[in-house]
Amino acid sequence: MQISGYLYALIICSGLTLSVPALKSANDTPALLLVSFDGFRADYLNKYSFPNLEKFFSDGVLVHELTNVFTTKTFPNHYSLVTGLYAESHGMLASIMYDPVSKRHFSIKNDSDPFWWNEATPIWVSVEKNGYRAAAAMWPGTDVKIQNHTLKYKYEYDSKVPFEERLGNLTQWMTMDRSVKFATLYWEEPDWSGHKYGPENTTEMTKVLREVDNHIGFLIEQLNKTGLWGKINVIITSDHGMAQCAKERLIKLNDCISPNSYTVVDLTPVAAIIPLQDNSTIYKKLSSCHDHMKAYLKDDVPDRLHYKNNERIQPIILVADEGWTIVKNGSLPRLGDHGYDNTLPSMHPFLAAHGPAFRKGYRMSSFNSVDLYPLMCHLIGIAPEANNGSFAHVRCALVNEQCGELALAVGIVIGVLIILTTFTCLFKLMKNRDASSRPFARLELDDDADDEPLLE
Ligand SMILES: [Zn+2]
């Protein structure tokens, strides 16, 4: 305790700052562009070639893996990236949902009812409430009237709009209107190909990942052409990875329970089940249904998954092991899938960043995808809403943070302490040695003391 107090005092005395530097004024704050390539599994970076992406992060930051949120599906994770909340907190829990109170249904093809989005405030709404503009090209939710707020610069979702057109409009909005401080872009690949061919199909994945890298090349070129490259901050990331599935790894629910005894809201790899009979009877049957599937009553879902505190979570949740597919009684629907446990590396995406706020050539092994939200709020200079992320986890990626300097300062302080302690010990030793070299000194003093009473 004494040492840490001493360290703290020395750091304070030395004038080193532990906290974040003051935010820049509104006009100086560079804009932020957030790009998602859906289903970009982190280890694609080790297995395939990405000359343009490497150019992007060689002069910026690379985070090898993000720990995303459960369920590792597209909508829950895209909403977590822009709210900093776990799925149970923002309410976007899966690709297919049912709300038992309002009796409403949600699917990715029927997603425009604000009801499903209003449990959280995404960053683009906060940006506009702070007096700036936001611009969006297809990021999930940006075309929905969330918190009674509609974006002026936005696209209605249309998968046929090419990447170049999505980005071209964003850069036009950003250069035309300097109040645009946040822009976001979504692209459907490599998710689409990962589902269709499976991530282990290297021939097809090589093709699609080359296309993705070409899009990143176009992005660099377009930002250069419009004078934005190096002036704005750019983050490229994804929502989840992809696991290889196989027809030999099927879990058939109808082999375990009667088709008339349950309703399925969402099916695989995380099934949401509403029993039509006694919950515990159905739960018991599902618990012993298959070695590669876990069954949970809603209240017993492990805390680490942050997936029980919401009305939209159904009474029984089934979670398949990596690469296994849950069906009612059918055949394998796709060769690649995601949604599995968010601790699996195959479910993790990566993150890369470039721009004036970021260090150059900096590498981080990992952080949580919910940490991105406080980082983005910091970059834009707005106060974050309550969230599950931590700015402390990501701050070292920023050039203005004192990470390296602080480590050096602590090293210097520890060095000074060691030297001071050594000198103090040496001084004491020498003093004792002086005393012991005069064997009669104490005796002499004692003699003086003994003399005193005689003087009285
Ligand atoms: Zn996705």
Side-chain angles (χ1 to χ4, degrees):
M1 285 300 285
Q2 277 179 338
I3 288 176
S4 62
Y6 187 45
L7 277 174
Y8 183 71
L10 275 174
I11 290 168
I12 295 296
C13 291
S14 67
L16 286 162
T17 312
L18 293 173
S19 58
V20 181
L23 293 168
K24 290 179 182 178
S25 71
N27 289 335
D28 290 342
T29 309
L32 169 64
L33 171 61
L34 172 67
V35 181
S36 168
F37 288 98
D38 196 320
F40 196 130
R41 178 172 153 164
D43 68 0
Y44 288 161
L45 280 173
N46 309 327
K47 295 177 179 168
Y48 299 90
S49 164
F50 296 95
N52 290 305
L53 179 56
E54 276 169 27
K55 182 181 169 194
F56 178 89
F57 64 67
S58 65
D59 199 24
V61 172
L62 172 67
V63 185
H64 293 277
E65 242 176 79
L66 288 192
T67 302
N68 47 356
V69 308
F70 183 80
T71 59
T72 51
K73 288 281 190 181
T74 299
F75 275 54
N77 274 282
H78 275 99
Y79 215 36
S80 288
L81 287 168
V82 294
T83 61
L85 295 168
Y86 298 126
E88 68 176 4
S89 302
H90 63 53
M92 192 55 63
L93 292 139
S95 304
I96 303 171
M97 293 185 282
Y98 170 70
D99 185 86
V101 181
S102 65
K103 308 215 181 310
R104 294 188 219 204
H105 294 266
F106 173 93
S107 75
I108 49 174
K109 287 180 182 155
N110 176 29
D111 65 356
S112 57
D113 184 347
F115 168 79
W116 298 100
W117 304 87
N118 278 341
E119 290 188 7
T121 305
I123 191 166
W124 59 82
V125 173
S126 302
V127 163
E128 297 221 334
K129 282 186 176 167
N130 276 271
Y132 302 125
R133 282 277 183 212
M138 317 273 179
W139 188 283
T142 48
D143 55 355
V144 180
K145 192 176 183 181
I146 301 172
Q147 308 283 346
N148 214 24
H149 193 94
T150 309
L151 289 182
K152 181 181 168 192
Y153 301 131
K154 70 166 195 312
Y155 267 102
E156 297 295 327
Y157 184 73
D158 180 357
S159 62
K160 292 184 199 73
V161 177
F163 184 89
E164 291 77 7
E165 189 181 329
R166 298 183 196 193
L167 180 68
N169 274 273
L170 282 186
T171 52
Q172 196 184 348
W173 286 325
M174 292 173 93
T175 47
M176 183 184 75
D177 184 347
R178 292 287 175 179
S179 68
V180 174
K181 291 295 177 198
F182 177 76
T184 183
L185 188 155
Y186 167 81
W187 186 245
E188 288 82 354
E189 289 281 23
D191 180 75
W192 191 86
S193 297
H195 281 301
K196 187 175 181 192
Y197 304 110
E200 289 174 9
N201 184 331
T202 49
T203 310
E204 294 298 334
M205 292 315 292
T206 300
K207 271 191 223 165
V208 71
L209 292 171
R210 191 178 298 140
E211 276 173 29
V212 164
D213 190 63
N214 287 340
H215 290 323
I216 294 169
F218 177 80
L219 183 141
I220 296 172
E221 194 185 300
Q222 177 74 6
L223 293 181
N224 257 314
K225 211 191 285 179
T226 49
L228 295 171
W229 181 249
K231 303 264 173 35
I232 64 167
N233 293 308
V234 185
I235 295 171
I236 298 176
T237 187
S238 183
D239 49 352
H240 53 73
M242 189 68 70
Q244 183 68 40
C245 300
K247 62 181 190 313
E248 295 77 23
R249 295 196 291 267
L250 274 186
I251 300 165
K252 295 185 177 181
L253 295 184
N254 287 358
D255 287 353
C256 305
I257 49 173
S258 157
N260 304 322
S261 64
Y262 69 101
T263 294
V264 165
V265 174
D266 196 7
L267 193 54
T268 190
V270 177
I273 305 284
I274 305 174
L276 301 176
Q277 299 169 1
D278 171 49
N279 271 14
S280 59
T281 310
I282 300 291
Y283 166 71
K284 254 183 210 166
K285 286 182 180 172
L286 288 169
S287 299
S288 55
C289 179
H290 201 285
D291 288 346
H292 290 285
M293 181 179 80
K294 289 180 195 72
Y296 301 105
L297 286 168
K298 177 177 176 175
D299 288 343
D300 298 333
V301 174
D303 290 342
R304 66 177 182 81
L305 295 175
H306 303 285
Y307 202 78
K308 62 175 129 189
N309 297 309
N310 197 295
E311 291 278 6
R312 300 168 188 173
I313 297 170
Q314 305 307 330
I316 297 174
I317 298 297
L318 309 175
V319 184
D321 283 354
E322 183 178 19
W324 286 80
T325 301
I326 304 172
V327 294
K328 285 168 96 172
N329 197 29
S331 53
L332 185 73
R334 46 198 169 263
L335 280 167
D337 212 354
H338 54 89
Y340 300 95
D341 193 317
N342 63 329
T343 56
L344 292 167
S346 64
M347 291 298 102
H348 293 167
F350 80 107
L351 183 141
H354 181 278
F358 294 101
R359 288 182 193 275
K360 309 225 177 289
Y362 190 71
R363 301 284 179 274
M364 292 174 85
S365 57
S366 176
F367 61 72
N368 299 320
S369 65
V370 290
D371 298 331
L372 182 63
Y373 171 76
L375 171 67
M376 293 195 298
C377 290
H378 174 84
L379 291 174
I380 301 166
I382 61 170
E385 299 278 329
N387 65 84
N388 301 120
S390 166
F391 179 70
H393 292 164
V394 295
R395 54 186 279 275
C396 290
L398 301 180
V399 74
N400 282 340
E401 288 296 315
Q402 306 284 347
C403 290
E405 292 84 347
L406 181 63
L408 181 66
V410 171
I412 291 169
V413 168
I414 290 171
V416 168
L417 269 177
I418 291 169
I419 292 166
L420 280 176
T421 311
T422 310
F423 272 111
T424 309
C425 291
L426 276 173
F427 180 73
K428 280 188 175 173
L429 273 171
M430 284 172 74
K431 207 176 162 191
N432 287 344
R433 219 169 123 190
D434 283 351
S436 59
S437 66
R438 293 187 291 131
F440 300 109
R442 184 176 170 80
L443 189 58
E444 284 164 9
L445 281 170
D446 283 348
D447 286 347
D448 289 345
D450 286 347
D451 286 344
E452 282 184 14
L454 297 174
L455 294 170
E456 281 178 354

